[in-house]
Amino acid sequence: MKILHALFCVGLGLGAPALAQTQTDPAKAALAASDRLSRAAEALDAAEGAQNRVKALTETITAFEDGLEAMRDGLRRAAVREQALSAELRARDEEIARLLGVLQTMGTAPVPVLLMHPAGPVGTARAGMILSEVAPALDARALALRDKVQELSVLRALQQSAADKLQEGLEGVQEARSALSAAMAERTNLPRRFTEDPVKTALLIASTETLDGFASGLSEIAIDEAPGSLPDISARKGVLPLPVEGRILRRAGEADAAGIERPGIIVVTRPRALVRTPAAATVRYRGPLLDYGNVIILEPQSGILLVFAGLDVVYGQTGQVLPGNSPVGLMGGTGAEGDLLLAADSQVTGSERTQTLYIEVRQDNSPVDPLAWFKTDKED
């Protein structure tokens, strides 16, 4: 993991100063993520046992993603600025040519010729006064153009160098994800509220035609369930973090392309994004379900279920009690065009978000609007 940290900091070190010339906020965010990654890497080196390694790896992956996102944001803005500068310079080609012609003429003409005027000494004096006012303006415009050309050169160099650093960061976060999967498999010391009956689970899945029916029968698959519940989370209603970084694609009750309406929301996110628990919760079910793909159902308190569907990899075991912010899975998607490395043509359009996570909240076995529970004031 020390290698991952070094690669990440090198990428930020090259990208942030240049970004600061065009946009300060993305550079600051990247540097903040670098500091966060440093702390996470130190915690990972000191972590003993699977539980601590899971926590440290989760923080490391999140820091990677945040820092690379900040760099990508800066590169998107740099690309937009480069396009604007290029268009401006192309539009002013004729003006630049005239300006260069005047400056070159003034620079090569003999001084006596510049001081002569057909109207005699008075005309020469007037021409001199005009020239004394025009020359500084011409110099200022020439300097402004030179600065823009230099800025354009810096932006292009930044984009070229950052592409390699983003690729290094991508390789680093993939390594961290693999390490997280191994640590999750080794983690066996989490408390359990109940043991799953695999036969009853299979029968429930076979007899279920809707998510409603499956959710209502979840209590049947539990064996030796401990009494009680996790702490009440009603005070956190409206401020729970979304389980994955992304933006709302479809709200509750909105029909999809096939005309199907669901009571949950759909969040569009990047390939291989990490999905986490928004609060401490019991795993009520994990695995494939109906047409939802891989599903994990969490119970943060008695009477409330959080359903996350559409994952590629699901962590945890049914009956386990997971701490808040624990990893519960990864989104799908493969290929260099997605994941954490943006293709050039997706830097502005946002087409790098290709995966969708379905989120449903059920209270007393009835679906409620998830946006009433989750904080969604941040689009990306």
Side-chain angles (χ1 to χ4, degrees):
M1 293 308 297
K2 289 181 178 178
I3 295 176
L4 303 184
H5 179 214
L7 287 175
F8 189 80
C9 288
V10 167
L12 291 177
L14 288 180
L19 284 176
Q21 297 181 20
T22 54
Q23 283 291 339
T24 303
D25 290 344
K28 287 184 177 179
L31 291 173
S34 176
D35 292 339
R36 179 179 174 187
L37 180 64
S38 179
R39 293 192 299 270
E42 292 173 359
L44 182 59
D45 290 337
E48 296 181 0
Q51 176 70 14
N52 291 331
R53 283 184 59 79
V54 166
K55 182 178 180 180
L57 279 165
T58 301
E59 176 62 18
T60 301
I61 292 173
T62 303
F64 262 118
E65 293 179 342
D66 288 350
L68 290 175
E69 174 60 26
M71 289 183 68
R72 267 198 311 269
D73 183 42
L75 287 177
R76 277 194 293 265
R77 299 183 187 187
V80 171
R81 177 62 177 163
E82 179 195 2
Q83 292 174 1
L85 281 174
S86 298
E88 181 180 353
L89 291 175
R90 285 195 301 269
R92 299 176 65 179
D93 279 346
E94 185 177 348
E95 178 186 350
I96 294 170
R98 289 199 305 268
L99 174 60
L100 291 175
V102 172
L103 293 175
Q104 288 173 352
T105 300
M106 292 174 59
T108 58
V111 175
V113 174
L114 290 175
L115 295 177
M116 294 177 61
H117 192 277
V122 176
T124 299
R126 290 176 178 171
M129 288 187 291
I130 294 174
L131 186 60
S132 67
E133 295 179 359
V134 171
L138 291 175
D139 287 341
R141 296 179 72 176
L143 289 173
L145 287 171
R146 186 192 66 181
D147 290 343
K148 289 184 178 180
V149 170
Q150 288 179 343
E151 181 183 356
L152 184 60
S153 176
V154 169
L155 289 172
R156 287 174 175 168
L158 166 64
Q159 293 176 79
Q160 181 63 39
S161 63
D164 295 336
K165 299 308 170 184
L166 283 172
Q167 181 61 49
E168 290 177 2
L170 171 60
E171 293 169 357
V173 79
Q174 287 173 338
E175 183 181 337
R177 287 174 182 148
S178 298
L180 176 62
S181 295
M184 291 296 296
E186 296 171 0
R187 186 174 66 173
T188 57
N189 60 344
L190 286 177
R192 300 183 71 96
R193 285 192 60 205
F194 63 87
T195 302
E196 177 189 17
D197 186 327
V199 175
K200 291 183 178 180
T201 300
L203 290 174
L204 178 61
I205 293 175
S207 62
T208 294
E209 296 182 356
T210 64
L211 181 57
D212 283 345
F214 184 81
S216 63
L218 278 178
S219 59
E220 301 174 4
I221 69 175
I223 301 175
D224 299 327
E225 181 165 2
S229 177
L230 290 170
D232 192 326
I233 64 167
S234 58
R236 300 180 63 190
K237 186 174 183 178
V239 296
L240 286 178
L242 283 172
V244 68
E245 288 292 330
R247 61 179 177 83
I248 306 299
L249 178 65
R250 192 166 291 111
R251 297 175 179 270
E254 292 183 355
D256 60 17
I260 299 176
E261 297 180 4
R262 299 187 190 274
I265 61 174
I266 294 179
V267 177
V268 61
T269 187
R270 290 185 175 81
R272 313 307 294 168
L274 187 66
V275 182
R276 291 160 291 181
T277 57
T282 303
V283 180
R284 277 291 172 181
Y285 174 77
R286 51 146 291 185
L289 180 64
L290 302 172
D291 61 344
Y292 289 89
N294 271 334
V295 172
I296 186 163
I297 300 178
L298 304 174
E299 184 184 50
Q301 75 174 63
S302 179
I304 296 178
L305 296 178
L306 307 178
V307 182
F308 304 150
L311 298 91
D312 179 57
V313 178
V314 182
Y315 299 136
Q317 298 178 15
T318 302
Q320 283 184 332
V321 180
L322 304 178
N325 201 40
S326 294
V328 292
L330 294 172
M331 299 302 296
T334 57
E337 76 282 357
D339 213 285
L340 290 175
L341 185 64
L342 290 181
D345 59 353
S346 67
Q347 288 183 349
V348 178
T349 63
S351 60
E352 71 276 6
R353 298 185 188 274
T354 59
Q355 302 299 307
T356 55
L357 179 71
Y358 177 72
I359 301 174
E360 187 170 313
V361 178
R362 304 182 66 83
Q363 194 164 358
D364 297 328
N365 208 30
S366 296
V368 297
D369 187 357
L371 296 183
W373 280 91
F374 291 102
K375 184 180 180 181
T376 57
D377 56 348
K378 180 182 177 184
E379 278 194 350
D380 295 310

